[in-house]
């Protein structure tokens, strides 16, 4: 069992966009370029994040993507569910009632104990993902990552933000 | 993201085998029949459970499968890892260092904060799965499932156990 690659790309994009100030945006093509991804591949995930209310898409020549809400209000669970869908990883196929010796449907009215236990464990996972805030991930990156990485991220935002800030008077 | 169907089948088979007494076994073909599965499909998963030390395969005419250890010592995590493999669901592809603007490798020596957070949440899931014991799932089934289901499971074991118990005199 494994997450699709879209989860990693989506979290990285959201973390990068958390560094924008004001109402600035970054074009999707610049985000794709940053991570060496095909723009059409990334576009699909940026759209899913937008539909889920995590990103905001601003149209027009000065448009692009920005976070739709504060990074304190975005969890890894929000992003995972936006990209992977809301269904549980364990999807009971009711095999207990397959086979030639199955009983009448009324014998299976109660939820299977296996399904219950699997979903209970998955709930613990969701709670843990829900406790991981984008703001904390960005703060950890800012404080603990190699300073060259932090500087490169800031430079990327400065180069690609829309609208561009006017150059400082020299 | 979703588990393969093999997880559900494997937990059901292990739960059924937990009802065997003595050193009895059940043939894989009977387990497949019980759940309406193809024997070759189920065989693959029974072999994985055997390799992982969860089941024991007894060869020969009176052979079949039984639990390799007490159901108190088998967790849902044991079964999930046996079937799905031990790799985490989140597999960091290091996209932070892709793209034309990547820095020298030394800038990425520390683990990415995103990978760390995803694995931390996954650890909570594994801990929760590890706390779900096969013995408790079987006990819940015995106490709470429809009595017809419990009777059908017991009858199945009686019919397919090897060696067969001698018929009661009567």
């Amino acid at each position: 069992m494994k997450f699709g690659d879209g989860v990693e790309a989506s979290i990285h994009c959201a973390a990068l966009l958390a560094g924008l100030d004001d109402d600035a945006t970054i074009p999707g093509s610049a985000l794709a370029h940053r991570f060496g991804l095909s723009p059409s591949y990334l576009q699909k995930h940026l759209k899913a994040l937008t539909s889920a209310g995590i990103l905001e898409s601003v149209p027009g020549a000065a448009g692009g993507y920005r976070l739709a809400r504060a990074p304190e209000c975005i969890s890894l669970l929000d992003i995972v569910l936006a990209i992977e869908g809301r269904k549980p990883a364990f999807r009971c196929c009711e095999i207990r009632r397959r086979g030639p010796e199955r009983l009448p449907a009324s014998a299976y009215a109660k939820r299977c104990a296996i399904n219950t236990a699997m979903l209970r464990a998955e709930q613990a996972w969701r709670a843990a993902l829900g406790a991981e805030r984008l703001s904390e991930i960005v703060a950890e990156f800012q404080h603990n990552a190699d300073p060259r990485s932090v500087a490169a991220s800031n430079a990327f935002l400065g180069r690609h933000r829309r609208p561009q800030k006017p150059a400082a008077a020299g």
Side-chain angles (χ1 to χ4, degrees), chain A:
Chain A
M1 190 192 50
K2 116 186 241 308
F3 283 114
D5 297 344
V7 170
E8 183 179 358
S10 298
I11 303 172
H12 271 287
C13 288
L16 203 44
L17 293 174
L20 283 175
D21 49 11
D22 306 329
D23 284 333
T25 66
I26 297 280
S29 56
L31 291 168
H33 180 79
R34 164 64 187 85
F35 297 115
L37 298 167
S38 117
S40 61
Y41 164 85
L42 187 60
Q43 177 80 350
K44 189 181 67 169
H45 297 304
L46 295 174
K47 278 189 175 172
L49 294 168
T50 304
S51 299
I54 295 166
L55 300 188
E56 212 167 56
S57 167
V58 177
Y65 290 93
R66 63 186 170 210
L67 294 186
R69 50 188 203 259
E72 293 77 17
C73 302
I74 296 171
S75 73
L76 290 189
L77 182 65
D78 296 330
I79 298 175
V80 164
L81 295 182
I83 301 301
E84 296 277 330
R86 305 190 72 86
K87 287 187 185 166
F90 183 75
R91 298 179 204 163
C92 174
C93 296
E94 289 281 336
I95 71 164
R96 62 179 176 160
R97 66 172 85 189
R98 286 202 213 144
E101 295 165 30
R102 64 178 159 276
L103 300 166
S106 61
Y108 305 107
K110 284 191 191 170
R111 191 155 77 175
C112 174
I114 292 171
N115 193 12
T116 301
M118 288 297 285
L119 294 181
R120 190 162 49 214
E122 199 160 334
Q123 200 46 50
W125 188 28
R126 291 192 174 206
L129 276 173
E132 299 284 352
R133 301 271 135 193
L134 190 60
S135 49
E136 288 157 23
I137 288 169
V138 170
E140 200 195 313
F141 171 75
Q142 296 280 351
H143 293 131
N144 295 330
D146 189 284
R148 290 170 288 175
S149 282
V150 178
S153 279
N154 292 338
F156 172 86
L157 293 176
R159 261 195 326 279
H160 294 285
R161 80 192 297 280
R162 290 177 174 180
Q164 275 288 314
K165 283 188 173 167

